[in-house]
Amino acid sequence: MGSVLIRRCVTCCFLQICSLSGTLTSGQPSRVLPVTPFQGRVLLLTICAAGIGGTFQFGYNLSIINAPTSHIQEFTNETWRMRTGRPLPDQLVPLLWSLIVSLYPVGGLLGALLAGPMAITLGRKKSLLVNNIFVVAAATLFGFSRRAGSFEMIMLGRLLVGVSAGVSMNVQPMYLGESAPKELRGAVAMTSAIFTALGIVMGQVVGLRELLGGPQAWPLLLASCLVPGVLQLASLPLLPESPRYLLIDCGDSEACLAALQRLRGPADLAGELAELERERAACQGRRARRPWELFRDRALRRQVASLVVLGGVMELCGNDAVSSPRQAQVYAYASAVFSQARIPPEKVQYASIRTGGCELLAALLSCVVIERVGRRMLLMGGYGLMTCWGSVFTAALCLQSSLPWMPYLAMSCVFAFILSFGIGPAGVTGILATELFDQMTRPAAYMVCGALMWTMLFLVGLGFPFIMESLSHFLYVPFLCVCVCGAVYTGFFLPETRGKSFVDISEELHRLNFPGVEPGPHVDGPEVIRSTEL
């Protein structure tokens, strides 16, 4: 039943994206142009090519590290014994393993800081292609680590795949958001969350003991990240660059028109070209902003506040704590919940796959409905449902020793919590930097967002064991407070961006930042061009 529902959601997503042929400029279905087989297909292929080597790698490398935990620890101990003649001290084994796990978010932070300059200098598509250098280097280190007898190669490989994930998590939604028409921008950008969840599920499946999770195959498991990288290198060069980057950053009108024609098919492009020219005029004479400049610009205060608050809420809302295999300690806690529900230890890994499947299903559903209900409703509804299910989860943990059916309720809350997170916060938060910032501030905004995300991910993995030890069954109370704050902030301060062009969004944000002041030529900032000043 679940697989049928997922297939239906995938079909709905693809049909919605392929409906591009009739919803380009006016938002109404075209009745004049016939629907050709190629119409909308290039955009769909662009989504797949960017995603398979982008956020798919992020989710995949998050989850595959859990399966070979014991095997890598044994390899580390044996390597140390061969070098020194004595075994590794017991307290250093978990320390080295924690270092291997923690180097991934450290690399992600470095990649997030690198993504902005790469997107500006190389462009969106070339940045994704060049990013695969880190993947190839990491896969080589993983594949030969056991033969070389070096656990340091595993550490360096984890750092490099983290850098790759940090770059792709920023550049992919930027690339897709700039390439999609405004009517489908939310659905297209949401595919980043879909590929993240798909990567988590595939990593869990490939890491099964029956596949590559055995004691001899773990180097191949870690090195398998090379496969999606090769797929992206083979497909993405055949697809167009972001039209906005070509026109606004490069000033190449002909290349922009050619890219639009490939992405949109034979539809009328006059309306979209006019919007692009308005956006180009608003950005003319300005340079790309640096991250720290965003915090000093009064015209960006609401955008930056929304990015920081909602980005922090997404990482601190507790999803990683209850369900996701994003840190080894967190994964162990989710496994403990399944064990309390009397799931045999050898079956826990299959129950964990269902958590990834829930996140994938929720992302697919969100992609289908985002252009119908809007961003604000998904965020508020997602955080509201998470608050409800988190409360029930806390009550179930407190009563699991009194009532025999409470562990099953706790396990059900895990899946319901993931679905609530995936429907709203997981994907919508990643769209904010694309829609709330213009072409000159968007790369810097993604650098801020990425640095915040990876830092929070590292801190949650580091501090969760202490929270669990101190709060016991009430460990979810702080996370519930964060969810409530996210819903309240979204309801009062986040503007709706559904169906609006980037220029329209900038003008609305200007009115919110400067009440009573009409936007000038540069609708998103007070920066003055002084080329005529004596």
Side-chain angles (χ1 to χ4, degrees):
M1 182 65 182
S3 61
V4 173
L5 185 55
I6 290 178
R7 287 198 299 269
R8 289 179 179 175
C9 289
V10 172
T11 305
C12 290
C13 290
F14 287 172
L15 287 176
Q16 182 175 354
I17 294 171
C18 289
S19 67
L20 172 67
S21 56
T23 57
L24 288 172
T25 56
S26 64
Q28 300 297 327
S30 173
R31 299 181 181 178
V32 178
L33 294 174
V35 178
T36 65
F38 299 98
Q39 220 164 343
R41 184 174 296 178
V42 174
L43 179 60
L44 182 58
L45 292 175
T46 302
I47 292 170
C48 295
I52 193 65
T55 53
F56 178 89
Q57 289 275 35
F58 167 63
Y60 187 76
N61 287 289
L62 276 174
S63 59
I64 61 172
I65 195 63
N66 294 299
T69 299
S70 59
H71 308 316
I72 294 178
Q73 289 178 346
E74 291 175 3
F75 167 72
T76 303
N77 202 7
E78 292 175 3
T79 302
W80 188 271
R81 183 184 291 109
M82 290 177 61
R83 292 178 182 178
T84 63
R86 58 182 183 274
L88 191 67
D90 293 338
Q91 64 271 19
L92 289 183
V93 174
L95 178 63
L96 286 177
W97 173 247
S98 299
L99 182 61
I100 291 174
V101 173
S102 301
L103 281 173
Y104 187 71
V106 171
L109 176 60
L110 297 176
L113 299 177
L114 187 62
M118 286 179 63
I120 296 170
T121 306
L122 302 176
R124 285 40 166 167
K125 186 179 81 169
K126 287 183 181 178
S127 296
L128 290 174
L129 293 172
V130 172
N131 187 40
N132 286 289
I133 294 175
F134 301 111
V135 176
V136 174
T140 304
L141 290 170
F142 290 144
F144 291 98
S145 58
R146 186 169 61 183
R147 179 172 297 183
S150 172
F151 57 84
E152 294 87 354
M153 294 174 66
I154 301 176
M155 294 180 178
L156 182 57
R158 288 292 292 176
L159 181 68
L160 291 177
V161 293
V163 173
S164 172
V167 172
S168 62
M169 285 288 289
N170 285 6
V171 178
Q172 180 187 334
M174 195 188 315
Y175 174 46
L176 296 180
E178 293 177 3
S179 301
K182 63 182 181 181
E183 293 83 4
L184 294 175
R185 188 173 59 236
V188 171
M190 276 295 298
T191 58
S192 298
I194 292 176
F195 277 99
T196 298
L198 181 62
I200 290 175
V201 174
M202 289 301 298
Q204 292 171 331
V205 171
V206 175
L208 291 173
R209 288 185 291 268
E210 295 82 356
L211 296 177
L212 295 180
Q216 302 300 320
W218 63 263
L220 292 178
L221 174 63
L222 297 181
S224 60
C225 63
L226 181 64
V227 176
V230 171
L231 290 176
Q232 185 178 74
L233 287 172
S235 57
L236 192 58
L238 306 176
L239 298 164
E241 175 61 275
S242 160
R244 281 179 169 78
Y245 174 80
L246 293 172
L247 180 65
I248 300 174
D249 292 75
C250 301
D252 194 339
S253 302
E254 294 182 0
C256 171
L257 179 59
L260 276 178
Q261 288 174 339
R262 290 193 63 194
L263 288 167
R264 308 294 188 260
D268 183 13
L269 301 175
E272 190 165 4
L273 287 173
E275 289 180 2
L276 283 174
E277 287 297 338
R278 286 179 62 201
E279 196 174 343
R280 180 185 187 183
C283 298
Q284 192 170 6
R286 297 165 53 205
R287 61 169 176 81
R289 298 292 185 89
R290 298 179 177 90
W292 55 87
E293 294 176 341
L294 303 183
F295 295 90
R296 299 201 300 255
D297 194 339
R298 185 186 172 194
L300 299 173
R301 58 186 178 182
R302 185 178 290 263
Q303 295 94 305
V304 174
S306 299
L307 192 69
V308 172
V309 171
L310 294 178
V313 168
M314 185 188 72
E315 293 301 327
L316 298 176
C317 66
N319 182 71
D320 289 343
V322 73
S323 60
S324 179
R326 301 190 179 186
Q327 297 289 344
Q329 304 96 326
V330 173
Y331 179 77
Y333 180 74
S335 300
V337 173
F338 297 141
S339 298
Q340 288 290 335
R342 299 178 182 178
I343 295 179
E346 64 275 9
K347 301 294 183 181
V348 168
Q349 60 176 345
Y350 301 103
S352 299
I353 293 177
R354 295 180 182 179
T355 63
C358 283
E359 191 167 344
L360 176 59
L361 175 61
L364 290 168
L365 290 173
S366 181
C367 182
V368 172
V369 304
I370 187 171
E371 295 299 347
R372 294 177 172 83
V373 302
R375 284 66 160 157
R376 294 175 72 249
M377 186 60 67
L378 284 179
L379 279 176
M380 289 189 295
Y383 283 126
L385 289 173
M386 290 169 70
T387 303
C388 295
W389 289 115
S391 302
V392 177
F393 182 67
T394 302
L397 289 179
C398 295
L399 298 174
Q400 62 182 354
S401 59
S402 303
L403 299 174
W405 51 271
M406 277 298 170
Y408 300 99
L409 178 61
M411 185 177 65
S412 301
C413 289
V414 168
F415 295 108
F417 196 92
I418 301 169
L419 286 169
S420 304
F421 176 76
I423 287 174
V428 178
T429 308
I431 303 176
L432 297 179
T434 299
E435 296 192 327
L436 298 183
F437 294 85
D438 72 352
Q439 196 76 10
M440 296 295 104
T441 57
R442 192 172 296 126
Y446 267 105
M447 291 174 67
V448 172
C449 182
L452 178 67
M453 185 199 78
W454 288 102
T455 302
M456 291 293 184
L457 185 64
F458 177 80
L459 293 177
V460 168
L462 189 65
F464 180 76
F466 301 100
I467 297 175
M468 184 172 61
E469 183 178 353
S470 59
L471 296 181
S472 184
H473 296 326
F474 298 96
L475 83 164
Y476 237 69
V477 173
F479 299 131
L480 297 180
C481 296
V482 172
C483 292
V484 172
C485 292
V488 171
Y489 183 89
T490 302
F492 283 99
F493 299 105
L494 185 68
E496 180 56 69
T497 56
R498 175 170 60 99
K500 298 177 182 178
S501 67
F502 287 122
V503 176
D504 294 335
I505 296 171
S506 296
E507 291 176 350
E508 180 179 354
L509 288 167
H510 186 279
R511 286 190 292 269
L512 293 173
N513 287 322
F514 299 97
V517 180
E518 290 297 323
H522 302 294
V523 295
D524 67 339
E527 184 176 344
V528 179
I529 298 177
R530 305 182 184 275
S531 58
T532 59
E533 186 180 26
L534 294 177

